[in-house]
């Protein structure tokens, strides 16, 4: 499974993905300093030159890293992608049963590890809370978790092992750009991180220009993880923001149909009885396989939706695609978009 993604109310994101599949001792290292709660997008004492010490602020506390880390561990989603993109193979990273290979390594990570001629990292059990003993065994110099559901207790406990870099504001709500900047600062590689962001943005700009039908189309991003209900992703979810980067706009229905605004979660639920109220150019959803897509569209309430009847439905199909869109990064974005955008543009071309 994908590592557990827990919003503020502690609902397991792993459980959501699992239902989609069904339906379709402490080592204290020098250089670790955790202070009081802070905020900001990876604020740092570094000037971007790679000088240390560097202090990174997060919603869970400020962390000072005294020296350039040599042994890097990651937690949550996406951080391992950024570390690998920067040319470093982590000593430990989450095991991705969902979307990964037999070992639990995502395809874009596997390709990059091979390019770097690295050895397989320690694969961390991501089925629940942060696996403290596995982190101890990995002996990291830093633990990077800018896109995770790390709790304050976990942050404090892991900080006894190594400096921990958490999310700047809310769990599971850090954009791929901010994730990249935060990781770059923590590793003393801000310039390289900025270059990765620019390269990724340039590739998305070129892709959007190739498919002008996408520009300004509205979309509604959801998942059918429970019978009779959609999980609808809000505007601050990175997968929604990724499509914004391609020139698409959020459907007003995302906000208009939200029954629980301000609950701290990255999604809300909408019953099938309210599907007729969705007003959008495109419906974007993810599914574990084509059989799950067929089961969804066979429901009479779903089949009656204009987006379904008129072919303005662009499903992401396959575990790896689900993982890629759920945690966009400088590695997963090109892997996923090059395959998916032509299909998305085909659906956009049907908008009248």
């Amino acid at each position: 499974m994908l590592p557990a993604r827990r919003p503020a109310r502690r609902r397991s994101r792993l459980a959501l993905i699992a239902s989609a599949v069904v339906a379709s001792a402490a080592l204290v290292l020098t250089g670790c300093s955790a202070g009081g709660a802070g905020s900001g997008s990876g604020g740092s004492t570094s000037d971007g030159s790679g000088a240390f010490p560097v202090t990174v602020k997060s919603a869970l506390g400020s962390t000072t890293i005294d020296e350039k880390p040599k042994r890097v561990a990651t937690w949550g989603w996406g951080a391992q992608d950024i570390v690998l993109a920067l040319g470093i193979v982590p000593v430990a990273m989450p095991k991705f049963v969902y979307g990964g290979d037999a070992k639990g390594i995502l395809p874009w990570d596997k390709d990059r590890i091979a390019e770097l001629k690295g050895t397989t990292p320690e694969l961390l059990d991501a089925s629940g809370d942060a696996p403290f003993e596995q982190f101890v065994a990995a002996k990291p110099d830093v633990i990077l978790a800018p896109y995770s559901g790390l709790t304050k207790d976990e942050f404090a406990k892991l900080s006894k092992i190594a400096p921990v870099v958490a999310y700047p504001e809310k769990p599971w709500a850090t954009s791929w750009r901010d994730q990249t900047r935060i990781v770059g600062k923590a590793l003393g590689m801000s310039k390289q991180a900025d270059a990765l962001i620019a390269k990724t943005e340039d590739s998305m700009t070129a892709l959007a220009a190739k498919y002008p039908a996408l520009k300004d189309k509205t979309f509604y991003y959801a998942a059918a993880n429970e019978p009779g209900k959609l999980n609808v992703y809000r505007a601050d979810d990175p997968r929604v923001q990724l499509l914004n980067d391609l020139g698409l706009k959020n459907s007003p229905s995302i906000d208009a149909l939200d029954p629980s605004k301000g609950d701290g979660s990255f999604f809300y639920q909408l019953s099938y009885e309210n599907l007729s109220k969705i007003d959008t150019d495109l419906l974007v959803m993810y599914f574990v396989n084509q059989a799950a897509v067929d089961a969804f569209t066979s429901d009479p309430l779903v089949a009656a939706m204009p987006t379904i009847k008129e072919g303005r439905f662009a499903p992401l199909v396959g575990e790896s695609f689900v993982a890629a869109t759920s945690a966009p990064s400088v590695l997963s974005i090109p892997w996923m978009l090059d395959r998916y955008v032509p299909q998305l543009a085909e659906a956009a071309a049907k908008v009248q």
Side-chain angles (χ1 to χ4, degrees), residues 224 228-230 271-276 278 283 285 287 292-310 313:
K229 296 179 181 179
L230 292 185
S271 69
Y272 280 16
E273 286 74 17
N274 290 315
L275 293 182
S276 62
I278 297 174
L283 177 63
M285 297 181 62
F287 299 88
V293 179
D294 296 341
F296 174 71
T297 56
S298 67
D299 185 289
L301 293 175
V302 173
M305 296 175 69
T307 50
I308 302 296
K309 293 191 295 184
E310 297 169 14
F313 177 45

Side-chain angles (χ1 to χ4, degrees), residues 80-102:
Q80 83 284 348
D81 295 358
I82 303 164
V83 173
L84 286 164
L86 289 170
I88 300 169
V89 179
V91 295
M93 68 184 196
K95 179 178 182 179
F96 292 82
V97 176
Y98 189 94
D101 62 11

Side-chain angles (χ1 to χ4, degrees), residues 5-25:
R5 173 176 172 173
R6 294 173 303 231
R9 64 184 180 184
R10 299 283 294 172
R11 176 166 183 157
S12 172
R13 176 67 163 63
L14 182 66
L16 299 180
I17 295 295
S19 62
V21 176
V22 172
S24 30

